[in-house]
Amino acid sequence: MSQQQQVVVDNKWLINHLKDPNIRIVEVDYDPNTAYNVWHIPGAVLIRWREDLRHPVLRDFIEPNQFEKLMENKGINNNTIVVLYGDYNNWFAVYAFWLFKAYGHDDVRILNGGRTKWAKENLPTEQGPTEPQYPKGNYKVKKVDWGSHRAFFWELLQKVTKGEVGKTTILVDVRSPKEYTGEIRAPPEYADEQTQVGGHIPGAISFPWSQAVNPETGEFRSIEELRRIVESAGISPDKEVITYCRIGERASHTWFVLKYLLGYPAVRVYDGSWAEWGNIVGAPVKKGSEP
């Protein structure tokens, strides 16, 4: 539970810290037009997932110097406590958390329940797309740690072809059951990012990310519940765990649950996920409900 307290805050805590100058509240959205631009938590700044965190040319993330500029423009320093929340059950907020940690930010936290819980409790909001202006931050990326955070296609391909999946590595597909079986290639709301084929990576366990949250509030389930459902799915802490979804955001949610709430020692995200795997010629694919 101590790990959860360090990385997850609730609405009451945030209400009590809205005016704290050492805390920056950041909303991270897939589509700000349906979220931040309508309403947001007082004092929150906006990070747009696609426009602000994705590399402007490559399919990758912004580089360290670009991350530094983004932080400074949002009034964030290296010692700022960053509290992230957002739309889609905090998917993209947790994805941003993953990037913040890969770039070595010390204190970053997730608002439990995100926009969903804040709205349900009818807490104060600010209307419209205008962001508050803060003094420019002073930020320096001190380390870049992809090694313990990120898995690449060629690593997974090697693990699959050498039979390591299920033995030394647990590969976890956190998409919906219909995506896992190959019945659909993407959720309907993401039709613009579909892949060429449907199915899953051979050997991957199906563990839909949504099992980890309360559907009414978007909050994480209790540690006891999380441990039970994760272990019953065959995801154990004695092996390295690699999560994937379609573009990486749902995989980051499950990564967060495993690494930060349950304390699993070795968890990475394959952020290329199905959008990469399902578009590569010759990549092995399995259909149906079995790993």
Side-chain angles (χ1 to χ4, degrees):
M1 182 62 75
S2 60
Q3 282 188 305
Q4 185 183 25
Q5 290 170 340
Q6 293 168 12
V7 293
V8 177
V9 300
D10 59 19
N11 288 347
K12 182 180 179 181
W13 184 93
L14 194 58
I15 284 288
N16 290 333
H17 291 83
L18 284 179
K19 303 294 186 181
D20 191 326
N22 195 43
I23 292 173
R24 186 68 65 242
I25 306 167
V26 181
E27 178 163 327
V28 187
D29 288 336
Y30 182 83
D31 183 5
N33 288 327
T34 61
Y36 185 95
N37 294 352
V38 180
W39 67 265
H40 50 270
I41 294 174
V45 295
L46 171 66
I47 288 181
R48 303 164 299 170
W49 170 250
R50 189 187 304 274
E51 295 87 348
D52 296 330
L53 296 183
R54 304 298 294 181
H55 194 284
V57 178
L58 307 175
R59 187 190 167 187
D60 210 333
F61 298 94
I62 55 175
E63 296 175 0
N65 65 319
Q66 297 167 317
F67 187 80
E68 290 169 353
K69 290 177 183 176
L70 177 65
M71 295 300 99
E72 291 177 348
N73 289 339
K74 301 300 179 182
I76 295 173
N77 303 308
N78 285 88
N79 64 348
T80 300
I81 298 171
V82 176
V83 179
L84 303 170
Y85 77 99
D87 57 4
Y88 285 89
N89 283 291
N90 273 340
W91 284 358
F92 294 91
V94 180
Y95 207 175
F97 180 102
W98 176 76
L99 183 60
F100 269 79
K101 285 301 185 183
Y103 279 166
H105 194 86
D106 289 330
D107 197 339
V108 55
R109 310 178 188 188
I110 295 293
L111 177 63
N112 205 3
R115 289 177 60 88
T116 302
K117 184 84 183 313
W118 195 269
K120 279 185 175 293
E121 295 190 352
N122 198 30
L123 295 172
T125 61
E126 291 177 344
Q127 313 301 311
T130 304
E131 287 188 62
Q133 297 299 309
Y134 295 103
K136 185 176 181 180
N138 181 18
Y139 199 92
K140 185 68 178 175
V141 172
K142 298 175 182 177
K143 68 173 182 176
V144 178
D145 176 16
W146 286 129
S148 68
H149 287 80
R150 193 178 200 184
F152 292 96
F153 170 80
W154 51 87
E155 291 181 82
L156 281 193
L157 182 62
Q158 188 176 54
K159 289 177 180 292
V160 171
T161 55
K162 288 188 174 182
E164 295 177 12
V165 175
K167 294 180 181 178
T168 62
T169 302
I170 300 173
L171 187 55
V172 183
D173 186 321
V174 312
R175 298 174 299 163
S176 66
K178 286 186 176 181
E179 288 174 274
Y180 179 84
T181 62
E183 185 176 340
I184 62 175
R185 289 175 291 178
E189 63 268 28
Y190 293 129
D192 62 322
E193 292 175 334
Q194 285 203 6
T195 48
Q196 295 298 306
V197 299
H200 59 269
I201 301 174
I205 293 172
S206 176
F207 181 80
W209 74 275
S210 57
Q211 296 182 69
V213 299
N214 180 324
E216 296 298 317
T217 65
E219 293 174 289
F220 296 107
R221 296 192 184 278
S222 71
I223 297 299
E224 294 73 22
E225 286 181 291
L226 290 173
R227 183 163 285 112
R228 177 179 56 79
I229 61 176
V230 164
E231 290 179 354
S232 65
I235 305 170
S236 57
D238 60 329
K239 299 180 176 69
E240 182 186 29
V241 180
I242 298 175
T243 63
Y244 78 92
C245 56
R246 196 179 54 85
I247 60 173
E249 85 296 359
R250 290 174 286 178
S252 296
H253 192 281
T254 304
W255 165 86
F256 182 85
V257 167
L258 295 172
K259 184 176 179 68
Y260 283 94
L261 302 190
L262 296 182
Y264 276 42
V267 191
R268 290 188 288 166
V269 174
Y270 168 40
D271 62 287
S273 285
W274 197 253
E276 178 177 51
W277 194 278
N279 279 319
I280 291 182
V281 174
V285 170
K286 188 167 184 180
K287 289 184 178 289
S289 59
E290 295 299 319

